[in-house]
Amino acid sequence: MSEKNLRYSLYLGCVIPNRYPFIEQSVRNTFKELGIELVDMQGASFCPAPGVFRGFSIPLWLVVGARNISIAEEIGADIVLMCNGCYATLLEVNVMLKHDKKKRDMVNEHLAKIGREFKGTIEVKHIIDVLYYDFGLNKLKDYTNIKFPNLRVGVHYGCHILKDSTHRPWHGESEDPRFFEELIEITGAK
């Protein structure tokens, strides 16, 4: 991806602004330093959480997720997000609706009531996906001014970023992932 295309619709979800505003601010600061443009998704709602809503109503889960995706489609930029649960929901809704016309038609029938439509024109990306693949490890190394050679850290990916691995960008790495470690190792940490 060329540098001029590093523009994303920023999806905050419900947990990040309410419980982890420092994560939101650090992502905003980091992406600004890297020249990655973030466009706030005005009017976005909760994702809805994959373990909650999908468990009792797949149609509701699809419609609410598609409503959020339609906001990014209106902006004209892929979604970037920080929460693994939001990532799982919006990625899976996006993939499902792009490939299942019957579900897409049902969702668009409901979205039409509020003047929205799911078109399937954008991608859903985690911040790690953007840093690792779109911006790139080699380029990111140029921005790492402070090193932490004596720092040892434990990495926890979380299940929603890795599973179901079918639609994640890190194919083949869901059982023994390394991409997060590689990002951390740029800082000199082990």
Side-chain angles (χ1 to χ4, degrees):
M1 179 177 271
S2 67
E3 206 167 320
K4 65 180 177 162
N5 293 329
L6 294 177
R7 178 177 182 265
Y8 301 91
S9 302
L10 178 62
Y11 180 80
L12 296 176
C14 59
V15 174
I16 296 295
N18 291 311
R19 293 186 63 194
Y20 305 112
F22 53 90
I23 293 175
E24 174 189 348
Q25 193 59 52
S26 68
V27 168
R28 287 182 185 276
N29 291 346
T30 300
F31 277 41
K32 183 178 181 182
E33 180 68 25
L34 298 174
I36 301 171
E37 182 183 357
L38 298 174
V39 180
D40 290 324
M41 291 178 60
Q42 300 298 322
S45 65
F46 64 101
C47 56
V52 180
F53 286 88
R54 184 174 55 193
F56 78 85
S57 176
I58 290 176
L60 175 62
W61 175 74
L62 288 169
V63 170
V64 174
R67 181 193 164 278
N68 287 318
I69 293 168
S70 74
I71 293 170
E73 289 179 331
E74 202 170 84
I75 292 169
D78 292 344
I79 295 175
V80 66
L81 33 67
M82 299 159 251
C83 171
N84 289 358
C86 293
Y87 174 68
T89 281
L90 295 183
L91 177 69
E92 291 168 22
V93 166
N94 198 38
V95 169
M96 189 178 294
L97 294 180
K98 283 181 177 184
H99 296 98
D100 189 325
K101 184 179 179 342
K102 185 176 177 184
K103 286 183 174 121
R104 185 173 56 251
D105 290 346
M106 178 275 298
V107 162
N108 280 331
E109 184 179 320
H110 288 290
L111 290 180
K113 298 172 190 173
I114 58 169
R116 295 211 160 273
E117 178 186 9
F118 173 88
K119 298 174 184 159
T121 58
I122 59 102
E123 298 301 325
V124 175
K125 299 180 176 212
H126 195 280
I127 57 170
I128 293 175
D129 183 8
V130 169
L131 292 172
Y132 191 86
Y133 291 108
D134 295 356
F135 193 79
L137 282 178
N138 288 331
K139 197 169 167 191
L140 196 57
K141 289 176 185 175
D142 296 338
Y143 287 85
T144 310
N145 300 324
I146 300 172
K147 299 287 185 178
F148 303 97
N150 298 319
L151 183 63
R152 298 181 71 72
V153 298
V155 176
H156 176 69
Y157 285 84
C159 57
H160 292 302
I161 197 170
L162 297 173
K163 307 286 179 147
D164 152 0
S165 62
T166 312
H167 306 296
R168 305 307 194 261
W170 21 83
H171 295 293
E173 286 196 52
S174 62
E175 295 304 322
D176 188 21
R178 284 276 314 137
F179 54 91
F180 199 4
E181 283 94 332
E182 290 178 42
L183 283 170
I184 291 168
E185 288 165 356
I186 289 173
T187 68
K190 306 279 185 266

